[in-house]
């Protein structure tokens, strides 16, 4: 019942914050700790993961960095009573554990429906955390598996190893934060209008710092240029142009967006072709009002992006064919505008439901997952929430014994086996031949062979038992 949930929440959330070494064992919630005990560097973690993937045996290689289950925080400040400038983030109580994309229900960094504390992560390309009191190890990364050795092993759960990557196969999938504003807008055109066809450069921008991609994107760029389609490569890789005078190229997302907006197209080319691996390259382009020319995740057509919102390189048999089509779009305003029709209507619900649940709130979602696993509850992977309890909790009694939601029986140990104990209902509000439910405000009393009796009553979906007397067999 809601009243009971509120009472429990009040009691548990009155726990001193943040937890310390002295009181963390009594913390009524989930604690997330960093694996980097003893300052294990990111490079060592990556080397361990790569060694594990290259191993041909079912057991993990011996040279893996082991998880030190010393149950201590790696921060000396947090492990004392001293005040810390960066204490473990404590999530406030959030009444509603459902997720509704229709209502744009988004938990901020201070909200979670599970009592949750997390040691501040040092971040990095790859980092690992585990759930306090367990050996459940999580590996987190926003980089694709072809660059970083963080490939989701579907049998890893047998080793208590889990993932938080861009792969939707991860226990805690992660999406790039640049998607947030797009996914929470009503009509995209209101916030992210299309680029001005008349004033925009009738070509494509390309931004990449290195030319060592895993999908040979550099060769595609070269072939587009050779096919007489304008591509301004503005960063270090294949640099052939400077940014427009009114903008300055920096590492910031705002700078990139301002540059992308100056062109009709942007080559949103990932550094690898990996399922589900969608980075800021595509999200920024969609928000900038430019048409993305996309190269990357092979399964992008399965991820519910709005129809006709990007041009997929893989839809063309040759790069020359792609170049000719881009030139056609650039010279046909009607065709160009057709790639922005999706902005005039709400985003597809399937698209929002796919990505909104996996945006941010990584610690909260990890705590939810750990809570479900710890207490044997259901887990809705797609919505990243606990599943509601499917079994109705209404209490029903027949012939003095509970028949729902569990079946009650009494036994005692005989010399060689268990012996069934006779029972007799002594409650006036039930019949021995019928089933009585809705025991609120009513008491069902049963006598167990003599002087021993048991009473049961239900209140706000909880069953309360009271046993009196004693029973000894002759």
């Amino acid at each position: 019942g809601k009243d009971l949930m509120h009472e429990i929440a009040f009691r548990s959330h009155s726990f001193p914050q943040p937890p310390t070494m002295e009181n963390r064992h009594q913390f009524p919630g989930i604690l997330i700790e960093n694996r980097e005990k003893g300052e294990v560097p990111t490079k060592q973690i990556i080397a361990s993961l790569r060694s594990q993937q290259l191993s041909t045996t079912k057991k993990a290689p011996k040279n893996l960095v082991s998880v030190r289950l010393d149950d201590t925080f790696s921060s000396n400040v947090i492990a004392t009573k001293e005040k810390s400038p960066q204490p473990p983030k404590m999530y406030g109580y959030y009444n509603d554990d459902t997720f509704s994309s229709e209502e744009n229900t988004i938990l901020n960094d201070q909200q979670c429906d599970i009592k949750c504390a997390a040691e501040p992560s040092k971040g990095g390309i790859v980092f690992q955390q585990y759930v306090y009191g367990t050996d459940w190890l999580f590996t987190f990364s926003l980089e694709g598996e072809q660059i970083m050795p963080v490939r989701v092993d579907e049998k890893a759960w047998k080793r208590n190893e889990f993932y938080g990557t861009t792969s939707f196969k991860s226990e805690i999938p992660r999406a790039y934060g640049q998607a947030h504003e797009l996914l929470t807008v009503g009509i995209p055109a209101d916030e992210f209008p299309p680029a001005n066809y008349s004033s925009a450069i009738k070509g494509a921008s390309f931004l990449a710092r290195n030319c060592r991609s895993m999908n040979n994107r550099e060769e595609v760029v070269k072939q587009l240029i050779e096919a007489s389609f304008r591509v301004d490569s503005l960063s270090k890789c294949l640099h052939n142009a400077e940014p427009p005078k009114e903008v300055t190229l920096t590492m910031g997302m705002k700078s990139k967006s301002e540059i992308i907006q100056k062109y009709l197209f942007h080559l949103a080319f990932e550094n690898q072709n990996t399922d589900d691996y969608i980075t800021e390259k595509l999200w920024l382009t969609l928000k900038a009002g430019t048409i993305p020319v996309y190269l990357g995740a092979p399964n992008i057509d399965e991820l519910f992006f709005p129809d006709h919102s990007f041009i997929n390189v893989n839809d063309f048999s040759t790069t020359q064919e792609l170049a000719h089509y881009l030139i056609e779009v650039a010279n046909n305003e009607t065709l160009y505008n057709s790639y922005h029709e999706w902005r005039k209507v709400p985003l597809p619900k399937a698209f929002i439901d796919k990505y909104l649940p996996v945006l941010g709130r990584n610690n909260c979602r990890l705590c939810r997952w750990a809570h479900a696993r710890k207490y044997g509850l259901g887990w809705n992977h797609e919505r990243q929430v606990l599943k509601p309890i499917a079994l109705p909790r209404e209490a029903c009694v027949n012939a003095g014994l509970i028949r729902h939601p569990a079946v009650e029986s009494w036994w005692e140990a005989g010399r060689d086996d268990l012996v069934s104990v006779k029972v007799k209902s002594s409650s006036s509000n039930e019949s021995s031949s019928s089933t009585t439910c809705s025991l609120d405000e009513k008491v069902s009393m049963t006598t167990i062979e003599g002087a021993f009796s048991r009473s049961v009553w239900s209140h706000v979906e909880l069953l309360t038992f009271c046993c009196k007397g004693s029973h000894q067999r002759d």
Side-chain angles (χ1 to χ4, degrees), residues 286 290-292 301 304-312 315-316 325 329 334-343 348:
L286 292 171
T290 301
I291 300 177
D301 290 333
F304 308 111
F305 278 78
D307 290 340
H308 220 52
S309 60
F310 63 92
I311 296 173
N312 193 342
D315 289 341
F316 299 86
Y325 182 71
V329 176
T334 301
L335 182 56
Y336 168 81
N337 288 332
S338 70
Y339 279 93
H340 295 291
E341 287 296 315
W342 66 273
R343 299 179 185 273

Side-chain angles (χ1 to χ4, degrees), residues 31-90:
L31 286 178
I32 303 170
E33 300 193 44
N34 295 331
R35 181 190 182 184
E36 292 84 345
K37 310 301 180 185
E39 303 298 324
V40 176
T42 300
K43 289 184 178 180
Q44 189 174 351
I45 294 176
I46 295 174
S48 297
L49 292 168
R50 184 169 284 117
S51 176
Q52 183 178 18
Q53 286 193 359
L54 293 176
S55 174
T56 57
T57 63
K58 292 185 179 180
K59 295 183 178 180
K62 294 182 179 180
N63 62 340
L64 282 178
V65 181
S66 61
V67 182
R68 290 182 55 191
L69 298 180
D70 54 4
D71 287 338
T72 60
F73 287 114
S74 62
S75 168
N76 292 328
V77 178
I78 296 174
T80 68
K81 293 183 179 180
E82 299 176 14
K83 292 184 178 180
S84 168
Q86 288 185 318
K89 185 170 290 186
M90 298 297 296

Side-chain angles (χ1 to χ4, degrees), residues 420-438:
S420 177
V421 176
K422 296 180 179 180
V423 301
K424 180 180 180 182
S425 175
S426 53
S427 176
S428 60
N429 56 31
E430 65 177 83
S431 169
S432 61
S433 60
S434 63
T435 298
T436 303
C437 299
S438 301

